[in-house]
Amino acid sequence: MASLPEELQVREAAARQRVEDLQAEAAELALRLETARKDLSRLEITRETVTQVLAELSAAEVEPDVPAGDMPEANETSVPHGVGVMMVPPWREGLVVAVLPDVYRDIVEIIADAPGPVQAKQIVPRIGLPTTTGKIEGTRGKLKRLVERGWLDEDTPGQFTLARQGPGRDRGNSW
């Protein structure tokens, strides 16, 4: 019969092995999740681009029957329209927050009003959503898209601020 210290040592070794196995499995799952997120992001961007190109092509085929005085100015930035289309354009000088879809515009405005970096879970209730994991993750995806497109910065993982070169730099003219 084994002594109590020997039995505890055997159990400790088994528990240590389980922890190491689970850590390896978690690392593999994290890698797979990151790959899946990148694939999803590429597909979303592709869909948005195709939708935009098709809209521009169909608009070019139909000449508008609008008097010259009613045409929008060349330097005006219009708000994109489309059912089921989520268009978040890359930020560039002179682009205003009004071009963003409502929920993205709300997110940027909340971050602009915040005294410091903001997390997704802090934004969700301010845009009128329940603080469930799904809503937080959906909002985090929107935040990441705004970072990718130059509207926001994420210097620390999960902490979002206005982009230094983007809309917050000259808020008086951009808002």
Side-chain angles (χ1 to χ4, degrees):
M1 181 166 153
S3 69
L4 182 59
E6 289 172 347
E7 180 63 25
L8 289 175
Q9 202 169 26
V10 168
R11 289 182 183 201
E12 182 182 344
R16 183 172 287 112
Q17 184 60 47
R18 277 195 314 270
V19 167
E20 290 172 5
D21 292 346
L22 288 172
Q23 285 176 328
E25 188 177 332
E28 181 184 341
L29 285 173
L31 182 61
R32 289 175 46 199
L33 176 61
E34 184 61 29
T35 300
R37 282 185 174 152
K38 287 179 182 176
D39 289 344
L40 175 61
S41 178
R42 282 194 302 270
L43 288 168
E44 288 174 335
I45 292 167
T46 301
R47 179 185 45 78
E48 291 171 2
T49 303
V50 167
T51 302
Q52 182 179 7
V53 169
L54 290 174
E56 290 171 2
L57 288 175
S58 67
E61 290 175 6
V62 178
E63 285 295 315
D65 197 19
V66 179
D70 293 342
M71 291 295 288
E73 302 261 339
N75 62 356
E76 287 181 13
T77 307
S78 64
V79 178
H81 297 284
V83 176
V85 177
M86 200 55 79
M87 298 181 80
V88 178
W91 183 87
R92 64 183 183 278
E93 193 67 39
L95 197 61
V96 294
V97 176
V99 302
L100 295 173
D102 292 342
V103 70
Y104 288 89
R105 186 172 50 245
D106 292 344
I107 289 170
V108 170
E109 289 172 353
I110 288 167
I111 291 175
D113 292 339
V118 183
Q119 295 178 323
K121 66 182 177 182
Q122 296 169 308
I123 293 173
V124 169
R126 296 195 60 199
I127 58 176
L129 297 174
T131 53
T132 61
T133 302
K135 299 299 181 188
I136 293 170
E137 289 304 316
T139 301
R140 184 172 288 114
K142 289 175 178 61
L143 288 160
K144 297 280 190 182
R145 185 168 298 114
L146 287 165
V147 169
E148 289 171 4
R149 309 284 167 82
W151 292 89
L152 300 178
D153 282 335
E154 184 184 17
D155 294 331
T156 305
Q159 300 285 321
F160 299 91
T161 58
L162 285 177
R164 283 179 289 283
Q165 83 285 355
R169 189 184 60 161
D170 189 12
R171 281 183 60 191
N173 294 334
S174 299
W175 302 97

